[in-house]
Amino acid sequence: MAGRLEGKVAIVTGAGQGIGLAYAQRFLAEGARVVVAELAEERGAAAMAALAGAGEAEFVRTDIADPDSAQACVDAAVARFGTVDILVNNAALYHDIDNTDASYEYLLKVCSVNQHGTWLMSRAVAPVMVAQRWGRIVNQSSGAAYSYMFPPMDFTGLGNFSYSITKWGIVGLTKFMAAQLGQYGITVNCIAPGITMTEATKKVVPEPFLAGMTGMTAMKERLEPEDLAGAAVFFASDDARYCTGQTLVIDGGLAMPA
Ligand SMILES: NC(=O)c1ccc[n+]([C@@H]2O[C@H](COP(=O)([O-])OP(=O)(O)OC[C@H]3O[C@@H](n4cnc5c(N)ncnc54)[C@H](O)[C@@H]3O)[C@@H](O)[C@H]2O)c1
């Protein structure tokens, strides 16, 4: 049986590890050709090793926060595979985030990657999708957009909320992009995962907080990267042809926003 993404070309940003790598693996299994757009050379190389034999994939070193690099990534994808049908804006500062840095400079840095990087990649890919009158953009928000509960910080001033506000911003950006691009057959949707058991989570989220949050979910189970991949395939497929501007929260029943 043919895969649900047979013949499609997908860019997955931040696919060097974690959720992005799980998306890349699943997309290959569904018949897509995949560009691993990743900033860290060693993560890109490790992902390519993990994906070996699974299908056609290419690592393009990309800094989504750099306009030239974002454009070069799309150009490289078109040069290698002929077009781009699907863009998954998964990359963000998460593993390497410093939640204790509440400075304005750091706020700008997190926004430049997590928020503006998504816009830069989408801007670069839009003309390709518009020209073919078909495209799928899948953004990555987070349960952090909906939750006000965070690990305590040793800080008495006002936090900069950098991670959370960028993830909330992605929900809004999804709607604006969807509204503009729908007329060209391009849908823009968003996934907001709960705390997912990646290496980044194991590094960033203290175990007692993780256990507490899991206990508050309806499912009472931990979320694995593979649990998110089916939603990404759905949004990227023709099954979601008339679904756009939506954010799907996948968190085992914690936030349940309207
Ligand atoms: N793991 C979770 O619990 C969780 C929950 C909700 C949302 N998310 C979101 O899901 C995505 C992936 O999460 P993860 O746990 O796999 O995180 P991760 O930090 O392990 O993966 C992110 C990847 O993006 C790459 N990256 C960072 N900056 C980049 C840049 N400027 N250009 C290109 N690549 C860059 C990193 O090198 C890394 O490989 C992120 O957007 C994260 O915010 C994660």
Side-chain angles (χ1 to χ4, degrees):
M1 198 175 118
R4 295 171 72 195
L5 304 179
E6 208 64 51
K8 299 296 186 198
V9 177
I11 295 175
V12 183
T13 69
Q17 62 182 19
I19 297 170
L21 179 56
Y23 287 163
Q25 272 162 336
R26 181 65 185 274
F27 276 32
L28 286 172
E30 295 287 351
R33 291 165 287 167
V34 173
V35 170
V36 172
E38 166 63 50
L39 178 64
E41 291 274 2
E42 67 285 2
R43 290 177 188 166
M48 291 304 288
L51 298 173
E56 269 190 87
E58 174 146 320
F59 168 46
V60 178
R61 187 181 174 277
T62 308
D63 180 357
I64 61 162
D66 173 354
D68 294 337
S69 184
Q71 185 62 56
C73 174
V74 173
D75 292 346
V78 172
R80 167 75 198 266
F81 294 125
T83 191
V84 180
D85 303 297
I86 302 158
L87 169 64
V88 182
N89 283 310
N90 163 79
L93 262 177
Y94 177 52
H95 181 279
D96 304 314
I97 201 159
D98 180 0
N99 282 320
T100 64
D101 189 339
S103 69
Y104 177 54
E105 291 69 27
Y106 197 62
L107 173 62
L108 293 180
K109 180 181 164 71
V110 178
C111 286
S112 77
V113 178
N114 294 14
Q115 178 84 49
H116 306 326
T118 290
W119 181 76
L120 285 170
M121 287 299 300
S122 303
R123 182 181 69 161
V125 85
V128 179
M129 293 180 175
V130 168
Q132 67 187 11
R133 293 294 194 273
W134 199 97
R136 299 283 184 270
I137 298 176
V138 184
N139 294 330
Q140 186 89 321
S141 176
S142 166
Y146 299 99
S147 172
Y148 310 112
M149 297 168 287
F150 296 102
M153 290 191 290
D154 293 334
F155 183 69
T156 53
L158 183 67
N160 65 15
F161 316 109
S162 59
Y163 184 77
S164 302
I165 62 164
T166 57
K167 291 302 176 180
W168 177 241
I170 293 297
V171 174
L173 184 60
T174 298
K175 297 181 194 184
F176 290 117
M177 294 201 308
Q180 189 191 350
L181 296 174
Q183 63 190 311
Y184 305 112
I186 302 166
T187 67
V188 187
N189 291 291
C190 181
I191 297 169
I195 301 176
T196 312
M197 296 309 296
T198 61
E199 288 308 311
T201 286
K202 291 169 195 165
K203 173 173 174 264
V204 171
V205 184
E207 174 56 34
F209 183 80
L210 190 51
M213 294 295 276
T214 306
M216 285 191 280
T217 66
M219 304 295 293
K220 313 289 182 207
E221 278 178 32
R222 297 198 174 183
L223 174 60
E224 299 295 334
E226 296 72 26
D227 295 323
L228 303 165
V233 171
F234 168 68
F235 283 138
S237 75
D238 274 323
D239 286 342
R241 189 190 79 81
Y242 210 64
C243 173
T244 196
Q246 305 304 306
T247 294
L248 181 61
V249 177
I250 303 177
D251 67 355
L254 178 65
M256 302 196 203

